[in-house]
Amino acid sequence: MAFQDNIPIYVQIADDIKNQIVRGSLPEEEKLGSIREYSARYQVTALTVQRGIQLLEHQGIITTRKGVGSFVVPGARERLRREMVAGEIRSFLQKMTGMGFHDREILEMVKEEMEDGSIQVQRLRVSFYRRTGKGN
């Protein structure tokens, strides 16, 4: 993994583990690898990995059982997915309002784009409706 200079490495490791949870490659209630395994994978010190694990634990993404290991908490995937989407939406809205668009304009344009019928948007809508049980 190539690390960015402007973000602490332990934060980038925590973010990478979060991405694994979101993608489903690290399922809920699954045991994480050992500190030593992550240290070798990321080619960093065990202390750096430990800080990343502690950050995830502090955020409620994982739980650590002394002498057993660290595990992804139930509900972590859905929570992370929602947080990521909310962050992207906030960023988008901030950018659009900064360009002079008003809330109603943005909402109408988003609705128009969703009604456009693009495959990606349709998949998102179907996924949302299946998870929430909400219709149009």
Side-chain angles (χ1 to χ4, degrees):
M1 177 174 172
F3 295 111
Q4 299 175 15
D5 292 335
N6 58 337
I7 302 170
I9 292 173
Y10 75 95
V11 172
Q12 293 177 67
I13 290 171
D15 286 346
D16 188 55
I17 293 171
K18 286 180 190 178
N19 286 330
Q20 292 173 41
I21 295 168
V22 168
R23 284 192 311 269
S25 58
L26 187 56
E28 294 176 354
E29 300 187 49
E30 181 84 9
K31 183 178 179 185
L32 275 70
S34 70
I35 299 292
R36 188 174 297 171
E37 290 169 347
Y38 279 118
S39 181
R41 179 185 305 167
Y42 293 114
Q43 298 181 334
V44 298
T45 67
L47 181 60
T48 301
V49 172
Q50 182 64 39
R51 287 181 72 189
I53 298 295
Q54 288 172 342
L55 176 62
L56 292 171
E57 191 168 18
H58 177 74
Q59 293 173 341
I61 305 299
I62 64 166
T63 185
T64 301
R65 297 182 207 143
K66 193 165 184 121
V68 180
S70 298
F71 298 82
V72 178
V73 299
R77 182 171 190 243
E78 185 61 28
R79 185 177 134 213
L80 287 170
R81 288 168 56 99
R82 288 183 180 277
E83 288 173 3
M84 288 178 175
V85 169
E88 291 297 319
I89 290 170
R90 280 191 297 274
S91 175
F92 168 75
L93 291 173
Q94 193 172 37
K95 183 177 180 180
M96 294 297 104
T97 55
M99 293 171 55
F101 290 96
H102 299 286
D103 291 349
R104 285 193 186 279
E105 288 178 290
I106 297 168
L107 183 57
E108 286 304 314
M109 287 182 206
V110 168
K111 283 181 182 179
E112 287 173 18
E113 285 298 315
M114 290 184 73
E115 291 167 358
D116 185 22
S118 73
I119 294 170
Q120 180 65 21
V121 170
Q122 290 296 335
R123 273 199 311 229
L124 289 172
R125 288 166 79 186
V126 167
S127 174
F128 173 78
Y129 296 139
R130 282 185 184 151
R131 280 198 324 271
T132 64
K134 296 179 182 177
N136 290 337

